[in-house]
């Protein structure tokens, strides 16, 4: 599933033009009002294929490959974090539905998601426990339904999503619970939504609380054939970590562009600060971090398209993105100086928006744990020259030397 090089070039040109001509001018308005004009933008997103980017054409989507899609994740971040957030979640959740949904579920939901008639949000994070096997939400079997109880919070797009992909413990047989996913429609009895206080970055993106109290969910709403989708959920999180890294990269590239431009115009002691050695060091460090992350994301994206195991690469990628983002945004602020701390330039919101990347799809400690566990299991990002190969090579050299005498 991918567009040809020519098709993608045309799609990208049209999409990027829309981003910079129609979305970029909204930057100041969103920061001021803390609201994204979603009702006005949603039809435009649909017209430019932004709502079904990872959905195959057979379901009415755009059908991008991962490497193609990452270019848009990066570009959205350059304009505004709030816009990036709502598009990232909308497309990402449809991707997981495509990966593990039944044929009926795909036919029912994917065309509507691609056309913007329906949006799905991921119900994963909980206030009472960690992500994964520590989640507390449980769905007890009751005839043709499951009875769902639990709480979720920090759920992006909860304000307009019509359906939620809820990760919870599901009772497969009496007393036997497995982690799986339930598709829960907004408005079901026993399901209530609550607001959360606004975030201090990515203005305009909404995060809500989901409360389930004896909420009846039909058995047919279990995602996937067997319903045991923990591995698929974990894979989706790892893929999404690469996408978050692309978000960080977009923020970094915009910061570098702004810093270079500002350093040429800002004059102190009779000459632009672009001529100062300290500023040279800041700019080259920023470019170094950007180049390194570009290469790592390109490698990880290619492996996703090749259906390879990317647990190690995805977590290393996001760890690098976090550290690189911190350094680049810090140095951009130093180049701007005090004026960068005001709202006169976009540096302030880029600095704040980027901090969300540290926390999305897991914290740095989670990424370090997953990566180190993979390393201890024998995985590498390179092919090691094993001890037995070294010893075998040495033996061959000894035999060759002996035969030459």
């Amino acid at each position: 599933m991918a567009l040809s090089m020519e098709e993608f070039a045309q799609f990208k040109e049209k999409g990027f033009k829309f981003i910079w001509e129609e979305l970029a001018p909204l930057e100041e308005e969103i920061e001021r009002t803390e609201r994204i004009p979603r009702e006005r933008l949603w039809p435009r997103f649909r017209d430019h294929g932004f709502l079904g980017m990872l959905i195959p054409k057979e379901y009415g989507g755009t059908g991008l490959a991962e490497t193609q899609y990452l270019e848009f994740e990066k570009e959205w971040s350059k304009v505004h974090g709030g816009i990036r957030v709502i598009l990232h979640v909308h497309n990402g959740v449809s991707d997981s539905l495509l990966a593990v949904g039944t044929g009926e579920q795909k036919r029912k939901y994917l065309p509507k998601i691609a056309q913007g008639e329906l949006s799905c949000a991921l119900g994963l994070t909980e206030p009472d426990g960690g992500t994964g096997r520590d989640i507390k939400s449980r769905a007890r079997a009751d005839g043709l339904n499951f009875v769902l109880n639990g709480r979720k919070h920090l759920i992006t797009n909860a304000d307009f999503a019509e359906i939620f992909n809820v990760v919870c413990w599901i009772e497969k047989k009496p007393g036997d619970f497995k982690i799986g996913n339930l598709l829960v429609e907004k408005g079901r009895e026993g399901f209530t939504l609550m607001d959360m206080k606004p975030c201090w970055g990515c203005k305009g993106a909404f995060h809500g609380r989901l409360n389930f109290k004896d909420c009846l969910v039909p058995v047919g709403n279990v995602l996937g054939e067997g319903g045991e989708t923990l591995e698929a959920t974990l894979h989706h999180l790892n893929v999404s970590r690469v996408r978050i890294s692309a978000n960080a990269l977009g923020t970094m590239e915009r910061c570098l562009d702004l810093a270079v431009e500002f350093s040429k115009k800002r004059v102190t002691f009779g000459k632009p600060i672009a001529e100062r050695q300290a500023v040279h060091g800041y700019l080259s460090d920023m470019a170094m971090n950007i180049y390194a992350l570009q290469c790592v994301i390109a490698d990880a994206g290619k492996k996703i398209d090749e259906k390879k195991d990317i647990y190690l690469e995805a977590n290393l990628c996001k760890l690098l993105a976090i550290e690189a983002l911190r350094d680049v945004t810090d140095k951009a602020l130093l180049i701007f100086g005090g004026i960068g701390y005001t709202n006169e330039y976009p540096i302030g919101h880029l600095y704040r928006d980027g901090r969300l990347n540290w926390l999305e799809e897991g914290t740095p400690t989670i990424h370090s744990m997953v990566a180190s566990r993979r390393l201890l299991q024998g995985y590498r990002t390179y092919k090691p020259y094993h001890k037995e190969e070294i010893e075998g090579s040495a033996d061959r050299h000894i035999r060759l030397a002996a035969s030459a005498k």
Side-chain angles (χ1 to χ4, degrees):
M1 183 182 72
L3 299 186
S4 68
M5 291 180 63
E6 183 178 350
E7 288 175 326
F8 181 65
Q10 295 174 352
F11 179 78
K12 178 180 173 181
E13 174 63 26
K14 180 184 177 184
F16 278 28
K17 183 178 180 181
F18 166 66
I19 289 170
W20 288 103
E21 291 186 0
E22 296 190 39
L23 299 184
L26 298 174
E27 188 174 22
E28 291 186 13
E29 175 189 331
I30 294 172
E31 282 299 297
R32 185 181 69 256
T33 63
E34 299 190 9
R35 182 182 177 277
I36 294 171
R38 195 185 64 82
E39 296 79 6
R40 174 158 50 98
L41 291 178
W42 213 246
R44 299 295 291 150
F45 290 159
R46 182 194 60 229
D47 294 344
H48 287 81
F50 283 14
L51 300 179
M53 291 191 133
L54 295 161
I55 296 175
K57 291 182 178 180
E58 64 185 283
Y59 295 109
T62 307
L64 296 186
E66 187 66 29
T67 47
Q68 295 171 339
Y69 176 63
L70 288 171
E71 294 197 39
F72 282 86
E73 285 269 11
K74 181 180 74 169
E75 209 68 16
W76 293 329
S77 294
K78 293 183 181 182
V79 172
H80 195 272
I83 291 174
R84 186 277 302 177
V85 163
I86 64 174
L87 288 171
H88 166 83
V89 171
H90 178 86
N91 281 283
V93 178
S94 66
D95 185 34
S96 61
L97 181 63
L98 175 67
V100 296
T102 65
E104 182 182 351
Q105 289 168 345
K106 292 175 185 178
R107 290 188 294 272
K108 180 178 179 180
Y109 295 118
L110 290 177
K112 292 181 179 179
I113 291 173
Q115 293 304 309
E117 299 171 12
L118 181 75
S119 189
C120 186
L122 179 64
L124 177 61
T125 309
E126 298 190 353
D128 305 315
T131 298
R133 296 191 179 277
D134 193 42
I135 60 174
K136 311 302 181 188
S137 298
R138 296 170 74 85
R140 174 176 52 83
D142 184 17
L144 298 178
N145 297 293
F146 287 103
V147 181
L148 176 61
N149 285 280
R151 299 196 301 162
K152 302 287 183 178
H153 74 164
L154 297 169
I155 308 306
T156 310
N157 293 355
D159 54 332
F160 66 86
E162 291 86 7
I163 190 166
F164 294 83
N165 179 1
V166 178
V167 183
C168 60
W169 291 96
I170 301 176
E171 189 174 25
K172 300 298 180 179
K173 51 187 178 181
D176 183 21
F177 287 80
K178 303 286 187 182
I179 290 182
N181 301 60
L182 286 179
L183 298 175
V184 185
E185 298 92 347
K186 183 181 288 185
R188 281 202 167 274
E189 187 175 353
F191 174 22
T192 56
L193 283 167
M194 294 179 62
D195 293 351
M196 297 187 72
K197 291 187 177 181
C199 298
W200 50 269
C202 298
K203 302 292 186 182
F206 181 89
H207 299 79
R209 303 180 191 273
L210 316 182
N211 296 320
F212 303 101
K213 184 172 177 56
D214 295 332
C215 177
L216 291 181
V217 183
V219 171
N221 283 32
V222 174
L223 184 61
E225 296 289 352
E228 296 180 21
T229 51
L230 176 59
E231 282 303 315
T233 299
L234 293 176
H235 176 74
H236 166 70
L237 285 175
N238 280 297
V239 171
S240 193
R241 284 164 185 163
V242 179
R243 296 170 184 169
I244 296 298
S245 301
N247 299 152
L249 179 59
T251 301
M252 291 158 59
E253 289 182 357
R254 178 96 190 273
C255 283
L256 179 59
D257 290 341
L258 291 169
V260 168
E261 182 182 6
F262 181 81
S263 70
K264 292 177 180 178
K265 295 178 179 178
R266 173 68 169 136
V267 175
T268 63
F269 298 94
K271 62 181 181 181
I273 62 171
E275 298 181 20
R276 310 286 179 189
Q277 188 173 9
V279 173
H280 293 171
Y282 289 156
L283 293 174
S284 61
D285 283 350
M286 293 166 73
M288 174 188 68
N289 278 308
I290 288 170
Y291 183 45
L293 188 56
Q294 287 170 338
C295 295
V296 171
I297 290 173
D299 177 68
K302 181 172 178 288
K303 288 177 178 175
I304 293 171
D305 281 333
E306 293 171 348
K307 310 297 183 186
K308 292 183 177 179
D309 183 313
I310 47 91
Y311 271 57
L312 177 59
E313 289 86 346
N315 286 275
L316 294 178
C317 186
K318 187 162 177 253
L319 282 171
L320 173 62
I322 290 168
E323 291 304 312
L325 175 66
R326 176 190 56 75
D327 192 62
V328 168
T329 51
D330 281 353
K331 285 185 167 67
L333 183 59
L334 289 173
I335 290 172
F336 272 82
I339 197 67
Y341 196 68
T342 72
N343 289 328
E344 189 165 336
Y345 291 92
I347 287 295
H349 86 74
L350 290 168
Y351 193 100
R352 286 183 281 105
D353 292 352
R355 266 50 191 174
L356 180 57
N357 298 156
W358 292 22
L359 310 171
E360 291 175 281
E361 327 302 23
T363 59
T365 50
I366 295 294
H367 307 323
S368 294
M369 180 187 71
V370 174
S372 61
R373 183 184 296 160
R374 221 61 172 166
L375 290 169
L376 293 169
Q377 291 170 344
Y379 289 84
R380 298 290 188 275
T381 57
Y382 56 90
K383 183 179 180 181
Y385 200 59
H386 295 292
K387 180 181 177 182
E388 57 268 24
E389 293 175 342
I390 295 173
E391 292 174 347
S393 177
D395 290 342
R396 286 194 298 273
H397 283 298
I398 291 171
R399 288 194 300 271
L400 287 171
S403 63
K405 290 181 179 179

